[in-house]
């Protein structure tokens, strides 16, 4: 009888322990089937609610159109959304638990790393893609637990490619205008009034 009672307790406990371990490993397919009015049943209800809540958070991040990267305090990935998968070409399932330096940018693993800049008090930075002319405004922040302890980082990326190129183009044109005005003030008409060539991001400004 004692073994039967013990088995009736240990089996659901083992099942709930396995479910909790799989949930911690981001397995959102977990089905917590145990139901009872006792303490174990209430624990199972709590695990089901946790799965639902985690799924809601994950799908909310995935619905956000901008890349989001979340790492622990050792800069190992805890999560990144679908937009970050698209931006990096990396698989989230394969990268969870690995260093965020797998992003592969030139600044990864250096003192110019966005998280290292955050530690120095810099709350935003512009990051250039490694293999293209695209630029991103990255806004990092600390993540804390309910006890106020630092447990990780979040980084949100915004595409500022056009703004970056427009600013660069306008700065060049202001410099060009200043030189031409200097020539004109000296009576030197040997200057070029044409604007610079620009690129596909500055078509409207060149007009």
């Amino acid at each position: 009888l004692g073994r039967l009672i013990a088995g009736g307790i240990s089996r659901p406990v083992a099942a709930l322990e396995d479910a909790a371990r799989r949930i911690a490993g981001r397995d959102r397919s977990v089905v917590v089937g145990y139901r009872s009015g006792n303490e174990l049943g209430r624990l199972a209800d709590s695990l089901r609610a946790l799965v639902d809540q985690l799924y809601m958070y994950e799908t909310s991040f995935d619905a956000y159109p901008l890349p989001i990267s979340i790492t622990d305090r050792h800069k190992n990935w805890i999560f990144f959304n679908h937009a970050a998968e698209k931006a990096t070409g990396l698989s989230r399932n394969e990268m969870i638990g690995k260093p965020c330096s797998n992003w592969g940018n030139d600044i990864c693993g250096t003192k110019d790393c966005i998280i290292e800049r955050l530690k120095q008090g810099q709350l935003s930075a512009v990051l250039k893609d490694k293999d293209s002319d695209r630029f991103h405004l990255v806004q990092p922040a600390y993540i804390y637990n309910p006890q106020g302890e630092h447990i990780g980082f979040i980084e949100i990326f915004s595409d500022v490619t056009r703004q970056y190129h427009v600013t660069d183009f306008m700065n060049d044109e202001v410099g060009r205008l200043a030189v031409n005005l200097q020539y004109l003030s000296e009576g030197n008409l040997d200057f070029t009034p044409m604007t610079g060539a620009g690129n596909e991001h500055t078509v409207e400004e060149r007009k």
Side-chain angles (χ1 to χ4, degrees):
L1 179 60
R3 282 197 294 270
L4 286 175
I5 294 174
I9 295 175
S10 63
R11 280 192 296 272
V13 168
L16 292 175
E17 180 185 5
D18 177 66
R21 186 180 300 110
R22 290 168 60 193
I23 291 169
R26 296 187 61 260
D27 183 351
R28 304 297 178 256
S29 66
V30 175
V31 176
V32 184
Y34 183 79
R35 296 182 184 276
S36 175
N38 61 19
E39 288 82 356
L40 292 179
R42 287 191 287 274
L43 176 58
D45 290 341
S46 297
L47 287 176
R48 279 189 287 272
L50 178 60
V51 170
D52 290 343
Q53 192 171 49
L54 289 174
Y55 183 78
M56 181 191 70
Y57 289 148
E58 188 168 298
T59 54
S60 296
F61 280 127
D62 281 339
Y64 198 64
L66 301 179
I68 297 174
S69 168
I70 301 176
T71 53
D72 63 22
R73 62 191 187 93
H74 302 296
K75 296 191 285 188
N76 295 317
W77 263 317
I78 297 172
F79 177 83
F80 58 92
N81 67 351
H82 284 330
E85 283 188 298
K86 183 177 179 180
T88 61
L90 300 173
S91 166
R92 176 167 69 199
N93 290 335
E94 293 176 2
M95 288 295 108
I96 296 304
K98 295 182 179 180
C100 62
S101 57
N102 281 282
W103 188 287
N105 195 275
D106 290 338
I107 68 171
C108 291
T110 74
K111 63 180 177 61
D112 292 323
C113 157
I114 301 298
I115 290 176
E116 293 303 317
R117 294 187 192 185
L118 174 64
K119 292 177 181 178
Q120 300 302 317
Q122 189 173 343
L123 301 181
S124 65
V126 174
L127 174 69
K128 184 183 183 300
D129 278 356
K130 182 177 181 180
D131 301 316
S132 75
D133 67 346
R134 305 204 71 80
F135 291 83
H136 298 275
L137 174 66
V138 188
Q139 296 171 291
Y142 292 102
I143 298 175
Y144 299 92
N145 65 14
Q147 289 72 46
E149 300 166 332
H150 167 226
I151 58 172
F153 306 91
I154 183 170
E155 299 166 89
I156 301 176
F157 297 70
S158 305
D159 192 327
V160 293
T161 301
R162 186 174 186 281
Q163 297 95 310
Y164 186 91
H165 284 284
V166 166
T167 299
D168 194 48
F169 175 77
M170 297 303 290
N171 287 338
D172 285 346
E173 291 310 305
V174 169
R176 189 196 310 275
L177 178 60
V179 171
N180 287 343
L181 289 174
Q182 179 66 32
Y183 284 163
L184 188 60
S185 69
E186 296 170 353
N188 183 352
L189 301 181
D190 186 22
F191 60 85
T192 303
M194 299 295 292
T195 58
N199 57 33
E200 70 272 21
H201 303 290
T202 58
V203 173
E204 291 301 316
E205 285 69 26
R206 192 174 188 279
K207 291 178 181 179

